[in-house]
Amino acid sequence: VVDEFHLLGDGRRGAGLEGTLSRFRALNPFLTIHGLSATLGNRDELGSWLQGLTWYSDVRPIPLSWKVESYRKATEKPELLKRILEKSPVVQTVVFVQSRKRAESLSKGLNHWTTIPSGYHHAGLPHGIRKEVETKFRKGELTVLFATSTVEMGVNLPARRVILYDLQQFNGHE
């Protein structure tokens, strides 16, 4: 069973995962691989590569809705975020940002601007601190969690709203 199967497309991890799956298949031609992903866009192509079957379900326990907010200058983004969060301050929200520094600064700013309790989560924090932040969010002690992509890698949190604050991120080269 391969969870987060969509990581095959990841620039850093994809080749390693593909190599591992290919090696397993070479060692055991009767191997059955079950790839799981909630975000896989090319399931039929991967199913063909694995010579297997694909299955898809669009059943969701919580319906998805999208809203795009616009701004003219990047300096307007924090105020726009504050207004969005203040509209429904009790909805548990994960705000994805591009960097550790941004996660920390927005969390500290929100705690300074409002009474909405927030925290931050990124790979630069010690494991124990990350777990503590996750626990506080699960218990409802934190309403907003500012996070880098570390949260999307297998951390299950009870968020009812997700905000993509930064849609760009550093790829290690540019």
PDB file of all heavy atoms in Angstrom, residues 2 7-8 24 26 44 60 69 72-76 84 104 108 115 121 123 141 155 166 171-172 174:
ATOM      1  N   VAL A   2       0.698   2.098  -0.975  1.00  0.00           N
ATOM      2  CA  VAL A   2       1.478   3.325  -1.095  1.00  0.00           C
ATOM      3  C   VAL A   2       0.523   4.492  -0.871  1.00  0.00           C
ATOM      4  O   VAL A   2      -0.313   4.792  -1.726  1.00  0.00           O
ATOM      5  CB  VAL A   2       2.148   3.444  -2.483  1.00  0.00           C
ATOM      6  CG1 VAL A   2       2.975   4.717  -2.558  1.00  0.00           C
ATOM      7  CG2 VAL A   2       2.999   2.221  -2.773  1.00  0.00           C
ATOM      8  N   LEU A   7       2.775  11.639  -4.881  1.00  0.00           N
ATOM      9  CA  LEU A   7       4.162  12.071  -4.728  1.00  0.00           C
ATOM     10  C   LEU A   7       5.063  11.528  -5.831  1.00  0.00           C
ATOM     11  O   LEU A   7       6.223  11.924  -5.930  1.00  0.00           O
ATOM     12  CB  LEU A   7       4.706  11.675  -3.353  1.00  0.00           C
ATOM     13  CG  LEU A   7       4.116  12.459  -2.184  1.00  0.00           C
ATOM     14  CD1 LEU A   7       4.680  11.976  -0.873  1.00  0.00           C
ATOM     15  CD2 LEU A   7       4.368  13.945  -2.352  1.00  0.00           C
ATOM     16  N   LEU A   8       4.547  10.634  -6.660  1.00  0.00           N
ATOM     17  CA  LEU A   8       5.314  10.203  -7.833  1.00  0.00           C
ATOM     18  C   LEU A   8       5.676  11.405  -8.706  1.00  0.00           C
ATOM     19  O   LEU A   8       6.699  11.397  -9.382  1.00  0.00           O
ATOM     20  CB  LEU A   8       4.515   9.196  -8.669  1.00  0.00           C
ATOM     21  CG  LEU A   8       4.554   7.757  -8.210  1.00  0.00           C
ATOM     22  CD1 LEU A   8       3.516   6.928  -8.955  1.00  0.00           C
ATOM     23  CD2 LEU A   8       5.936   7.162  -8.387  1.00  0.00           C
ATOM     24  N   PHE A  24      10.550  -3.284  -6.485  1.00  0.00           N
ATOM     25  CA  PHE A  24       9.650  -4.265  -5.858  1.00  0.00           C
ATOM     26  C   PHE A  24       8.991  -5.145  -6.915  1.00  0.00           C
ATOM     27  O   PHE A  24       8.876  -6.358  -6.748  1.00  0.00           O
ATOM     28  CB  PHE A  24       8.570  -3.580  -5.026  1.00  0.00           C
ATOM     29  CG  PHE A  24       9.022  -3.102  -3.675  1.00  0.00           C
ATOM     30  CD1 PHE A  24       8.315  -2.111  -3.028  1.00  0.00           C
ATOM     31  CD2 PHE A  24      10.127  -3.631  -3.040  1.00  0.00           C
ATOM     32  CE1 PHE A  24       8.704  -1.656  -1.783  1.00  0.00           C
ATOM     33  CE2 PHE A  24      10.529  -3.191  -1.794  1.00  0.00           C
ATOM     34  CZ  PHE A  24       9.814  -2.197  -1.168  1.00  0.00           C
ATOM     35  N   ALA A  26      10.123  -5.839  -9.888  1.00  0.00           N
ATOM     36  CA  ALA A  26      11.115  -6.728 -10.495  1.00  0.00           C
ATOM     37  C   ALA A  26      11.421  -7.912  -9.579  1.00  0.00           C
ATOM     38  O   ALA A  26      11.615  -9.035 -10.037  1.00  0.00           O
ATOM     39  CB  ALA A  26      12.400  -5.953 -10.797  1.00  0.00           C
ATOM     40  N   ASP A  44      -5.541   7.054 -14.350  1.00  0.00           N
ATOM     41  CA  ASP A  44      -5.621   6.069 -15.435  1.00  0.00           C
ATOM     42  C   ASP A  44      -4.235   5.789 -16.025  1.00  0.00           C
ATOM     43  O   ASP A  44      -3.889   4.645 -16.313  1.00  0.00           O
ATOM     44  CB  ASP A  44      -6.596   6.529 -16.516  1.00  0.00           C
ATOM     45  CG  ASP A  44      -8.031   6.562 -16.010  1.00  0.00           C
ATOM     46  OD1 ASP A  44      -8.369   5.725 -15.136  1.00  0.00           O
ATOM     47  OD2 ASP A  44      -8.806   7.414 -16.458  1.00  0.00           O
ATOM     48  N   ARG A  60     -17.780  12.996  -0.773  1.00  0.00           N
ATOM     49  CA  ARG A  60     -17.064  13.760   0.248  1.00  0.00           C
ATOM     50  C   ARG A  60     -17.980  13.946   1.454  1.00  0.00           C
ATOM     51  O   ARG A  60     -19.121  14.370   1.293  1.00  0.00           O
ATOM     52  CB  ARG A  60     -16.674  15.131  -0.279  1.00  0.00           C
ATOM     53  CG  ARG A  60     -15.718  15.090  -1.452  1.00  0.00           C
ATOM     54  CD  ARG A  60     -15.127  16.444  -1.701  1.00  0.00           C
ATOM     55  NE  ARG A  60     -14.453  16.984  -0.542  1.00  0.00           N
ATOM     56  CZ  ARG A  60     -13.195  16.715  -0.200  1.00  0.00           C
ATOM     57  NH1 ARG A  60     -12.485  15.895  -0.919  1.00  0.00           N
ATOM     58  NH2 ARG A  60     -12.664  17.270   0.873  1.00  0.00           N
ATOM     59  N   GLU A  69     -10.134  35.317  -3.807  1.00  0.00           N
ATOM     60  CA  GLU A  69     -10.095  36.712  -3.356  1.00  0.00           C
ATOM     61  C   GLU A  69      -9.018  37.434  -4.155  1.00  0.00           C
ATOM     62  O   GLU A  69      -7.963  36.871  -4.437  1.00  0.00           O
ATOM     63  CB  GLU A  69      -9.752  36.789  -1.865  1.00  0.00           C
ATOM     64  CG  GLU A  69     -10.783  36.154  -0.955  1.00  0.00           C
ATOM     65  CD  GLU A  69     -12.017  37.010  -0.767  1.00  0.00           C
ATOM     66  OE1 GLU A  69     -12.003  38.199  -1.151  1.00  0.00           O
ATOM     67  OE2 GLU A  69     -13.004  36.488  -0.229  1.00  0.00           O
ATOM     68  N   ARG A  72      -4.722  44.093  -5.037  1.00  0.00           N
ATOM     69  CA  ARG A  72      -3.907  44.820  -6.015  1.00  0.00           C
ATOM     70  C   ARG A  72      -2.417  44.726  -5.708  1.00  0.00           C
ATOM     71  O   ARG A  72      -1.606  44.596  -6.606  1.00  0.00           O
ATOM     72  CB  ARG A  72      -4.324  46.284  -6.066  1.00  0.00           C
ATOM     73  CG  ARG A  72      -5.704  46.495  -6.632  1.00  0.00           C
ATOM     74  CD  ARG A  72      -5.999  47.989  -6.733  1.00  0.00           C
ATOM     75  NE  ARG A  72      -7.370  48.216  -7.128  1.00  0.00           N
ATOM     76  CZ  ARG A  72      -7.776  48.301  -8.373  1.00  0.00           C
ATOM     77  NH1 ARG A  72      -6.923  48.150  -9.349  1.00  0.00           N
ATOM     78  NH2 ARG A  72      -9.038  48.509  -8.651  1.00  0.00           N
ATOM     79  N   LYS A  73      -2.060  44.817  -4.433  1.00  0.00           N
ATOM     80  CA  LYS A  73      -0.654  44.787  -4.036  1.00  0.00           C
ATOM     81  C   LYS A  73      -0.461  43.727  -2.958  1.00  0.00           C
ATOM     82  O   LYS A  73      -1.357  43.491  -2.144  1.00  0.00           O
ATOM     83  CB  LYS A  73      -0.227  46.156  -3.481  1.00  0.00           C
ATOM     84  CG  LYS A  73      -0.297  47.283  -4.493  1.00  0.00           C
ATOM     85  CD  LYS A  73       0.192  48.580  -3.904  1.00  0.00           C
ATOM     86  CE  LYS A  73      -0.972  49.205  -3.147  1.00  0.00           C
ATOM     87  NZ  LYS A  73      -0.683  50.517  -2.599  1.00  0.00           N
ATOM     88  N   ALA A  74       0.705  43.125  -2.938  1.00  0.00           N
ATOM     89  CA  ALA A  74       1.001  42.084  -1.949  1.00  0.00           C
ATOM     90  C   ALA A  74       0.873  42.602  -0.526  1.00  0.00           C
ATOM     91  O   ALA A  74       0.543  41.841   0.383  1.00  0.00           O
ATOM     92  CB  ALA A  74       2.401  41.525  -2.185  1.00  0.00           C
ATOM     93  N   THR A  75       1.079  43.880  -0.323  1.00  0.00           N
ATOM     94  CA  THR A  75       0.976  44.451   1.029  1.00  0.00           C
ATOM     95  C   THR A  75      -0.464  44.433   1.547  1.00  0.00           C
ATOM     96  O   THR A  75      -0.683  44.584   2.748  1.00  0.00           O
ATOM     97  CB  THR A  75       1.515  45.894   1.055  1.00  0.00           C
ATOM     98  OG1 THR A  75       0.819  46.665   0.061  1.00  0.00           O
ATOM     99  CG2 THR A  75       3.021  45.926   0.781  1.00  0.00           C
ATOM    100  N   GLU A  76      -1.443  44.217   0.656  1.00  0.00           N
ATOM    101  CA  GLU A  76      -2.846  44.151   1.064  1.00  0.00           C
ATOM    102  C   GLU A  76      -3.244  42.760   1.563  1.00  0.00           C
ATOM    103  O   GLU A  76      -4.294  42.599   2.172  1.00  0.00           O
ATOM    104  CB  GLU A  76      -3.753  44.521  -0.117  1.00  0.00           C
ATOM    105  CG  GLU A  76      -3.563  45.929  -0.627  1.00  0.00           C
ATOM    106  CD  GLU A  76      -4.340  46.198  -1.905  1.00  0.00           C
ATOM    107  OE1 GLU A  76      -5.055  45.295  -2.401  1.00  0.00           O
ATOM    108  OE2 GLU A  76      -4.228  47.311  -2.423  1.00  0.00           O
ATOM    109  N   ILE A  84     -11.056  37.951   6.253  1.00  0.00           N
ATOM    110  CA  ILE A  84     -11.644  36.629   5.993  1.00  0.00           C
ATOM    111  C   ILE A  84     -11.779  35.849   7.286  1.00  0.00           C
ATOM    112  O   ILE A  84     -12.824  35.255   7.571  1.00  0.00           O
ATOM    113  CB  ILE A  84     -10.776  35.844   4.983  1.00  0.00           C
ATOM    114  CG1 ILE A  84     -10.859  36.493   3.603  1.00  0.00           C
ATOM    115  CG2 ILE A  84     -11.200  34.386   4.922  1.00  0.00           C
ATOM    116  CD1 ILE A  84      -9.816  35.981   2.625  1.00  0.00           C
ATOM    117  N   GLU A 104       5.429  31.998  10.710  1.00  0.00           N
ATOM    118  CA  GLU A 104       5.652  32.595  12.031  1.00  0.00           C
ATOM    119  C   GLU A 104       5.168  34.038  12.079  1.00  0.00           C
ATOM    120  O   GLU A 104       4.475  34.434  13.016  1.00  0.00           O
ATOM    121  CB  GLU A 104       7.133  32.513  12.397  1.00  0.00           C
ATOM    122  CG  GLU A 104       7.601  31.093  12.635  1.00  0.00           C
ATOM    123  CD  GLU A 104       9.070  31.006  13.029  1.00  0.00           C
ATOM    124  OE1 GLU A 104       9.632  31.999  13.543  1.00  0.00           O
ATOM    125  OE2 GLU A 104       9.658  29.920  12.829  1.00  0.00           O
ATOM    126  N   LYS A 108       2.046  35.410  14.440  1.00  0.00           N
ATOM    127  CA  LYS A 108       2.296  36.449  15.458  1.00  0.00           C
ATOM    128  C   LYS A 108       1.484  37.696  15.160  1.00  0.00           C
ATOM    129  O   LYS A 108       0.930  38.324  16.067  1.00  0.00           O
ATOM    130  CB  LYS A 108       3.787  36.762  15.523  1.00  0.00           C
ATOM    131  CG  LYS A 108       4.585  35.618  16.117  1.00  0.00           C
ATOM    132  CD  LYS A 108       6.087  35.849  16.034  1.00  0.00           C
ATOM    133  CE  LYS A 108       6.817  34.624  16.569  1.00  0.00           C
ATOM    134  NZ  LYS A 108       8.265  34.691  16.346  1.00  0.00           N
ATOM    135  N   THR A 115      -8.233  38.557  18.495  1.00  0.00           N
ATOM    136  CA  THR A 115      -8.274  37.601  19.616  1.00  0.00           C
ATOM    137  C   THR A 115      -8.374  36.165  19.119  1.00  0.00           C
ATOM    138  O   THR A 115      -8.580  35.251  19.911  1.00  0.00           O
ATOM    139  CB  THR A 115      -9.477  37.905  20.532  1.00  0.00           C
ATOM    140  OG1 THR A 115     -10.674  37.813  19.757  1.00  0.00           O
ATOM    141  CG2 THR A 115      -9.351  39.292  21.157  1.00  0.00           C
ATOM    142  N   HIS A 121       3.277  25.987  12.067  1.00  0.00           N
ATOM    143  CA  HIS A 121       3.791  24.621  11.936  1.00  0.00           C
ATOM    144  C   HIS A 121       4.687  24.578  10.708  1.00  0.00           C
ATOM    145  O   HIS A 121       4.260  24.946   9.612  1.00  0.00           O
ATOM    146  CB  HIS A 121       2.598  23.680  11.751  1.00  0.00           C
ATOM    147  CG  HIS A 121       2.918  22.223  11.774  1.00  0.00           C
ATOM    148  ND1 HIS A 121       3.611  21.589  10.765  1.00  0.00           N
ATOM    149  CD2 HIS A 121       2.608  21.267  12.674  1.00  0.00           C
ATOM    150  CE1 HIS A 121       3.716  20.300  11.056  1.00  0.00           C
ATOM    151  NE2 HIS A 121       3.110  20.083  12.203  1.00  0.00           N
ATOM    152  N   ALA A 123       8.706  22.591   9.161  1.00  0.00           N
ATOM    153  CA  ALA A 123       9.739  21.571   9.371  1.00  0.00           C
ATOM    154  C   ALA A 123      10.898  22.068  10.225  1.00  0.00           C
ATOM    155  O   ALA A 123      11.662  21.260  10.742  1.00  0.00           O
ATOM    156  CB  ALA A 123      10.264  21.077   8.028  1.00  0.00           C
ATOM    157  N   GLU A 141      -7.875  24.560  20.740  1.00  0.00           N
ATOM    158  CA  GLU A 141      -7.186  25.646  21.442  1.00  0.00           C
ATOM    159  C   GLU A 141      -6.597  26.653  20.456  1.00  0.00           C
ATOM    160  O   GLU A 141      -6.372  27.803  20.807  1.00  0.00           O
ATOM    161  CB  GLU A 141      -6.090  25.086  22.346  1.00  0.00           C
ATOM    162  CG  GLU A 141      -6.632  24.227  23.479  1.00  0.00           C
ATOM    163  CD  GLU A 141      -5.537  23.503  24.252  1.00  0.00           C
ATOM    164  OE1 GLU A 141      -4.352  23.889  24.146  1.00  0.00           O
ATOM    165  OE2 GLU A 141      -5.866  22.529  24.958  1.00  0.00           O
ATOM    166  N   VAL A 155      -0.407  14.676   7.818  1.00  0.00           N
ATOM    167  CA  VAL A 155      -0.919  15.156   9.098  1.00  0.00           C
ATOM    168  C   VAL A 155      -2.419  15.365   8.934  1.00  0.00           C
ATOM    169  O   VAL A 155      -2.859  16.126   8.079  1.00  0.00           O
ATOM    170  CB  VAL A 155      -0.230  16.470   9.533  1.00  0.00           C
ATOM    171  CG1 VAL A 155      -0.799  16.970  10.846  1.00  0.00           C
ATOM    172  CG2 VAL A 155       1.269  16.270   9.653  1.00  0.00           C
ATOM    173  N   ASP A 166      -0.228  31.632  -0.098  1.00  0.00           N
ATOM    174  CA  ASP A 166       0.849  31.748  -1.089  1.00  0.00           C
ATOM    175  C   ASP A 166       0.722  30.568  -2.046  1.00  0.00           C
ATOM    176  O   ASP A 166       0.729  29.426  -1.613  1.00  0.00           O
ATOM    177  CB  ASP A 166       2.234  31.663  -0.422  1.00  0.00           C
ATOM    178  CG  ASP A 166       2.498  32.850   0.492  1.00  0.00           C
ATOM    179  OD1 ASP A 166       2.190  33.982   0.092  1.00  0.00           O
ATOM    180  OD2 ASP A 166       3.035  32.622   1.584  1.00  0.00           O
ATOM    181  N   ASN A 171      11.698  26.474  -5.059  1.00  0.00           N
ATOM    182  CA  ASN A 171      11.911  25.094  -5.509  1.00  0.00           C
ATOM    183  C   ASN A 171      13.353  24.649  -5.340  1.00  0.00           C
ATOM    184  O   ASN A 171      13.732  23.595  -5.836  1.00  0.00           O
ATOM    185  CB  ASN A 171      11.471  24.930  -6.957  1.00  0.00           C
ATOM    186  CG  ASN A 171      12.314  25.747  -7.929  1.00  0.00           C
ATOM    187  OD1 ASN A 171      13.314  26.349  -7.555  1.00  0.00           O
ATOM    188  ND2 ASN A 171      11.884  25.774  -9.176  1.00  0.00           N
ATOM    189  N   GLY A 172      14.164  25.441  -4.674  1.00  0.00           N
ATOM    190  CA  GLY A 172      15.559  25.078  -4.439  1.00  0.00           C
ATOM    191  C   GLY A 172      16.500  25.644  -5.481  1.00  0.00           C
ATOM    192  O   GLY A 172      17.707  25.583  -5.329  1.00  0.00           O
ATOM    193  N   GLU A 174      15.242  28.566  -7.971  1.00  0.00           N
ATOM    194  CA  GLU A 174      14.856  29.926  -8.377  1.00  0.00           C
ATOM    195  C   GLU A 174      14.186  30.656  -7.244  1.00  0.00           C
ATOM    196  O   GLU A 174      13.518  30.122  -6.449  1.00  0.00           O
ATOM    197  CB  GLU A 174      13.890  29.854  -9.569  1.00  0.00           C
ATOM    198  CG  GLU A 174      14.488  29.151 -10.752  1.00  0.00           C
ATOM    199  CD  GLU A 174      13.478  28.869 -11.843  1.00  0.00           C
ATOM    200  OE1 GLU A 174      12.292  29.207 -11.700  1.00  0.00           O
ATOM    201  OE2 GLU A 174      13.878  28.291 -12.853  1.00  0.00           O
TER     202      GLU A 174
END
